[in-house]
Amino acid sequence: MSSSIPAFEAGTSAADGPISRYLDALHDRLLPLRDGEIATYIPELSTADPDAFGIAIATVDGHLYTSGAAGHPFTIQSMSKPFTYGYALRSCGVARVLEQVGVEPTGEAFNSIILDNVNNRPFNPMVNAGAIAVSELMPGDTPEARLAMMMDFFNDLAGRRLDIDEAVFASERDTGHRNRAIAYMMLNSGMITSPPEDVLELYFKQCSINVTCADMAMMAATLANHGTQPVTGRKILDPDQIRDMLTLMSTCGMYDYAGQWAYEVGLPAKSGVAGGIFAVIPGQAGIAVYSPPLDQVGNSIRGVAVCKEISRDFGLHAFSDRTMVQTVIRREYRASEVRSKRLRSVAEIAVLAREGHRIAVLEVQGALFFGSAERLIRRLAALAEDCMAIVIDFKRCSDADPAALRLIEEAVARFGEAGPDLVVTHVPGDHPLRALLPGGARGTGRVLTLPDTDTALEELENDLLSGFFETDDLARFALKRIDLFHGLDEGCIKALEGAVSSFQFSAGQQVIREGDDANAFFVVASGAASISVTLPGGQRKRVASVGPGQSFGEMALIDGGKRTADVHADSAMICYAFSVDRIREIAKARPEVLTTILQNLVISLTTRLRMANDEIRNLV
Ligand code: GLU
């Protein structure tokens, strides 16, 4: 056999450690397993080295782990069958392919000459009859064109140029009389119509493609990666075609061992008589093993042993599912327990503590699919009974499949005029849920989308509080009603009124700049402002916001140093400003002005410290 292909170079990063060590230990443990016979019915295969033994795993992002002779070339044989089936699905469509070949396991040997006479077609594409029938579907006007088409397809799957082992091909062609009999029988019953020798030539060439374990792992990883080759990024097959291929591999891929394999390994797989086996871990990786000695049914003995161990050790059986639908709601809280960063008066805080339970926040995490979406919408329905508003925070949820989208779309459509308000946050433009939301293709318009949960909470708190306070009544913020001046007598308030100047800011305007001298403090009369800091990376982080009656910049009274944060008006805003010098002046005659303000300031700083603590707690 040809050995012209250089050994495949595996990655050697630090991440290889545990998995490479595992594969090496597995390889060394199974190498002494010397049972089984090398296939000899294709004479050229009998020259294989019984101790050539390689293992490879390729991940869906193209990382390759190998052990032993993973770069040793051998012929693909029946491992090609799922792929040519996929090619036929892609080029002819499912309906045409199903006319040519069925999907039933046979219970017969791979080379049986039995056809499904009821449906007038071979039982499935994993037995020789089915694969030969599929070979006829390869598009192209001439044998050369069809061969080129097929090789291009396998090259794309492997991500490199493959070649045909001419010696094996010649050996198969010269001795493959049983396959010849199958092809002529299918011609006789009209299942194939092309000249059998042409169809067989392509089929024998397909079986004689040289591959290595590394190639097969990469091809398996292409199936695991929903049809996109992990290294080249080329989209080769559609997810629907992959599903059909994997289904047939699961039911018919391991000759007469398919049932036992499904029971013990539980991964879609295909073996070939040259000693190769590949298995697919959907969404995760591809596994390939090469070791020529075969068992009674024609599967590589070491290959089966390797797959059994890997599946067991890493819990990969398709039915040993560990999906945790119950963790979809990461955290649930009410506005009575967690408040927005908006600084509030004592009276407002009291209302939020009492009434905030009517605003609920759900933090969703992980992928949304049928089971997790069902949990989410059931919880939403329960909350809708007693809440005036619900926020769903999708920050930790990046994926939603079509089933989840359908369920959420229906659930969301029921919110609106009658039910509570629904606000969704952290749903960027490329999020799968985006299409369902206002501004998206199917958005209902009855749901509000906001960038983050703090903004959502702040708006909903404002709505709630507006039922208890006339928040935009300027007169309400007569100085004596402001928390910072709480406890001062009429005389002191009068003195302060003489010291105040008022300023107007437009939305977005900067009021305070970090690093500037701190020589005045402000009280919001109307509108709101955000206090933010610049993070080391340059991004801005909003640490608090202030609305009517709240003060900011009061640190100036304590240390008179530099500003430690930026303040921007969120909307049109009117502020009262007090110069620190003027306050100190007043305090000469009325010392209680300063002591009372400082006392109130301590209370407000304590509140902010608690908020900062809560925020840190929420980070974990
Ligand atoms: N070329 C071989 C045959 O047709 C493939 C058999 C196999 O790998 O199962 O007999």
Side-chain angles (χ1 to χ4, degrees), residues 597-609:
I597 290 177
L598 289 176
Q599 210 170 348
N600 289 329
L601 189 51
V602 170
I603 295 171
S604 129
L605 289 178
T606 312
T607 312
R608 289 185 207 186
L609 194 57

Side-chain angles (χ1 to χ4, degrees), residues 4-27:
S4 59
I5 301 165
F8 207 102
E9 280 207 25
T12 51
S13 72
D16 286 348
I19 294 178
S20 293
R21 277 198 295 279
Y22 171 88
L23 292 183
D24 285 343
L26 187 60
H27 177 274

Side-chain angles (χ1 to χ4, degrees), residues 346 479-489 493 596-597 599-600 603:
V346 175
L479 295 191
K480 68 169 188 287
R481 314 265 320 255
I482 287 169
D483 281 352
L484 197 60
F485 304 138
H486 181 74
L488 289 175
D489 64 19
I493 294 289
T596 306
I597 290 177
Q599 210 170 348
N600 289 329
I603 295 171

Side-chain angles (χ1 to χ4, degrees), residues 517-521 553-561 563 580 584 601:
D517 288 338
N519 46 26
F521 68 94
E554 323 88 321
M555 302 283 264
L557 272 171
I558 301 175
D559 57 12
R563 299 292 188 198
V580 173
R584 291 196 190 285
L601 189 51

